[in-house]
Amino acid sequence: MTIATAEPRLKDSVRDLWRLDLFDHFQIYPGVYPVRTGTTVPVALTLGDRTLSEPQGGIRYINHFLQPGIVEQFKEFLADYPALFDPGNRFQGVLEYERTVQMISEGAAALAFCSGGRTYYTHSPDGSISPCHRLVGDEGFDVGTGDRGITREHPEWRRSVDEHPVCGGCWARYLCGGGCRQENHVATGDLNTLNSESCQYQLMLAEEVVKMLARATAGYRDRARTRYDDLFVSCGRPVVPSARAAAPAGDYGPFRLIC
């Protein structure tokens, strides 16, 4: 789901999707749209072999969730989110939110934002292998071919969040994992230089999910959650046990401090 306008509101759009009762899980991810501003990375929009938009100087793609009016909708939806878990509906959660709740409640830490270049690759019809599906077609990011396998080292994709000079000191690093490298590239021209919009969104998501957990009833907080490791959540965000001592069941008291 991409939110492109102020109306209908995000909460109403999701409720419409929820009423269809078609999906066990779905994902909501902020859309991006072009604005005229300075950039060093002109982007072409393509669909298959069709070019929808030629690269244009002075165009940058920004995160729509950070625009005025959209941030408020996002927070409004998260406040309503636990109410979607109705026994009469098959809905089991928004994937990214539930993954974050799982990490908090079970004690897990994200080592990276996604598994691109680790255990996740995209094998394209032209035979090329890329660490990221969003970078298919950019030969500078190819790491191999279908007939030869992985042929190029790509340590920049395997670095953990702790090794990043900025993310390694962030309070939300083990929930976020360090941000999307492709979004960094689009915004800055470098995989490792942070896209400020994406970074702000991930920080806001972490805070709002913690607040949502603190406000939620025990029925939502303590519901059984199946493992999310095999679902397509942020391209399979790699997590490890945090070795944190288990809190008493249902004890979310500390989270109320920030609500």
Side-chain angles (χ1 to χ4, degrees), residues 116-250:
R118 291 169 175 259
T119 59
Y120 172 88
Y121 295 87
T122 298
H123 186 182
S124 303
D126 66 2
S128 65
I129 297 175
S130 174
C132 172
H133 59 279
R134 294 179 176 182
L135 293 171
V136 167
D138 189 328
E139 295 180 358
F141 291 101
D142 289 352
V143 295
T145 60
D147 59 340
R148 299 179 61 195
I150 304 298
T151 57
R152 183 172 73 82
E153 293 294 322
H154 44 287
E156 68 275 19
W157 289 89
R158 296 173 175 268
R159 188 194 57 224
S160 74
V161 65
D162 288 317
E163 298 173 278
H164 193 283
V166 176
C167 300
C170 176
W171 68 267
R173 63 190 179 277
Y174 296 131
L175 290 178
C176 166
C180 173
R181 289 175 171 81
Q182 184 269 348
E183 291 177 6
N184 291 348
H185 171 66
V186 169
T188 70
D190 184 84
L191 291 174
N192 301 311
T193 301
L194 293 179
N195 176 343
S196 60
E197 286 90 1
S198 296
C199 179
Q200 291 174 55
Y201 167 70
Q202 290 297 328
L203 289 173
M204 181 175 65
L205 176 65
E207 275 201 19
E208 293 304 316
V209 168
V210 169
K211 289 179 181 178
M212 180 268 291
L213 261 177
R215 298 188 195 109
T217 65
Y220 171 74
R221 293 197 303 260
D222 300 335
R223 65 187 301 272
R225 290 181 171 84
T226 56
R227 299 298 300 178
Y228 284 81
D229 296 341
D230 295 329
L231 294 178
F232 192 82
V233 184
S234 301
C235 309
R237 186 171 301 177
V239 300
V240 296
S242 65
R244 186 191 70 213

Side-chain angles (χ1 to χ4, degrees), residues 41-52:
V41 190
V43 178
L45 298 181
T46 62
L47 179 64
D49 58 0
R50 295 167 50 208
T51 299
L52 304 180

